[in-house]
Amino acid sequence: MFQPIMDNSGILYVVATPIGNLSDLSERARMIISEADLVLCEDTRQTIRLLKAYGITAKTRSFHEHNENRLLRWVLQQLSDGQNIVLVSDAGTPLISDPGFPLVREARNQGFRVSPVPGPNAAIAALSVSGIPCHRFCFEGFLPSQAKRRQKALHTLRNESRTLVFHESSHRIEECLKDMADVLGSDRPVMVGREITKIHETFFLGDLGEALHFTCSDENQRKGEFVLVVGGNPDVDLEWQRACELLDRLRPSLPSSEASRIVSETFSVNRKRLYRRMIEREND
């Protein structure tokens, strides 16, 4: 449903900030922050350091996961009064594993203009240099901190054919890689990006077993912030290809519904997806 923009109201800018190298703050981001009536920060101390580096003087207020619901109505009132507000996180693009979603959703629902100021994003930065297929990917953010819940989450991703992208902290990187190797397979390709765009930036490309050994053998490789880019399950696509080959052989002699049922029962693929493929082939 189209939501008309309210007249004479302020604008909520969602502004991406550097993930490490301060030079990555865009010229437009600097201008928007400088001219804003208020900057909402995940951590004001972190944002003020960034602003000082660029000589920007701006009114800031803390806005994070512990107070965003309490401050939500107040922020919306400021927008209604015509105030232009910037939302930033400590690093990267807001809302991507960071606070801000309730505010953006409610601002949209109430007809305020919400405008992105794009820039750095750790997940996309890591994906772009991983050497792992990135035309289709699935961003999972942080896995659960508890071992059993983390392993359960990984089990649900075992058959995902798209490349998987995760965030992880120094406190859990070793345990996370171990669980990934156990659940997804130690031979699954992975790129471990550490401290991306920062002084101690490192990238390790290999399989999960090798990545676990590399990380465990060097204490320095367990420090900092991590992005893990994990290859998808190649067997899933292979199974679909085999299912399609059988479907094509059955198509001339069986009705579409019967052929798709047989192939669906033979392979772990969706029957409706097979049926749609047969209909598309017939239409061609």
Side-chain angles (χ1 to χ4, degrees):
M1 179 179 178
F2 176 73
Q3 176 69 56
I5 301 299
M6 295 175 61
D7 293 331
N8 303 318
S9 63
I11 302 171
L12 175 62
Y13 291 100
V14 180
V15 180
T17 56
I19 58 177
N21 192 316
L22 293 183
S23 299
D24 290 335
L25 186 69
S26 72
E27 190 64 39
R28 179 168 173 249
R30 298 179 209 175
M31 180 187 70
I32 294 294
I33 294 172
S34 299
E35 297 176 354
D37 297 297
L38 176 65
V39 179
L40 299 176
C41 317
E42 187 178 1
D43 185 334
T44 54
R45 295 167 298 181
Q46 183 83 359
T47 301
I48 287 173
R49 281 197 292 268
L50 174 67
L51 300 186
K52 283 184 176 179
Y54 283 101
I56 299 173
T57 301
K59 181 181 177 181
T60 61
R61 180 155 186 176
S62 179
F63 189 82
H64 47 71
E65 60 181 337
H66 301 297
N67 70 2
E68 60 181 330
N69 290 326
R70 176 168 54 84
L71 291 178
L72 182 59
R73 297 300 163 195
W74 181 83
V75 175
L76 294 172
Q77 183 60 53
Q78 306 313 301
L79 290 170
S80 182
D81 292 343
Q83 301 282 295
N84 288 332
I85 298 176
V86 163
L87 174 67
V88 298
S89 61
D90 286 348
T93 302
L95 278 73
I96 310 302
S97 293
D98 287 323
F101 173 70
L103 173 60
V104 169
R105 177 181 59 188
E106 196 60 29
R108 284 282 185 198
N109 289 342
Q110 294 197 19
F112 294 110
R113 180 181 170 191
V114 182
S115 182
V117 181
N121 177 278
I124 298 301
L127 190 64
S128 69
V129 298
S130 68
I132 295 175
C134 55
H135 58 290
R136 295 173 63 244
F137 66 92
C138 180
F139 176 67
E140 290 293 320
F142 286 94
L143 287 165
S145 57
Q146 296 177 344
K148 289 185 177 180
R149 291 181 58 205
R150 181 170 59 245
Q151 292 159 10
K152 182 178 179 180
L154 288 169
H155 273 285
T156 66
L157 297 169
R158 286 179 63 184
N159 291 325
E160 175 58 66
S161 63
R162 294 172 294 178
T163 293
L164 301 167
V165 185
F166 303 90
H167 286 166
E168 195 49 270
S169 69
S170 58
H171 307 295
R172 294 189 297 271
I173 184 62
E174 187 175 342
E175 292 80 3
C176 179
L177 285 170
K178 184 180 184 304
D179 286 341
M180 284 183 173
D182 290 343
V183 176
L184 303 179
S186 60
D187 60 345
R188 188 77 73 93
V190 63
M191 189 210 71
V192 180
R194 185 179 74 91
E195 294 290 88
I196 298 174
T197 76
K198 300 176 184 177
I199 295 174
H200 299 293
E201 173 186 88
T202 59
F203 295 102
F204 174 87
L205 181 62
D207 60 38
L208 282 168
E210 293 168 338
L212 178 59
H213 175 75
F214 175 77
T215 303
C216 292
S217 62
D218 186 347
E219 182 181 353
N220 289 325
Q221 297 305 320
R222 298 193 296 275
K223 297 178 181 179
E225 298 176 329
F226 297 82
V227 179
L228 308 176
V229 181
V230 182
N233 187 338
D235 294 334
V236 175
D237 283 343
L238 181 59
E239 187 171 56
W240 170 250
Q241 292 172 11
R242 289 172 176 169
C244 290
E245 289 171 1
L246 177 58
L247 196 67
D248 290 339
R249 289 200 298 269
L250 295 176
R251 186 160 59 95
S253 55
L254 289 175
S256 298
S257 58
E258 182 66 7
S260 58
R261 181 188 65 79
I262 292 173
V263 176
S264 177
E265 293 175 353
T266 305
F267 298 93
S268 299
V269 294
N270 185 275
R271 180 177 175 179
K272 290 182 178 179
R273 185 184 178 195
L274 291 165
Y275 182 79
R276 285 198 302 271
R277 184 181 185 278
M278 289 197 73
I279 297 303
E280 289 170 358
R281 286 295 183 91
E282 290 172 0
N283 291 338
D284 290 340

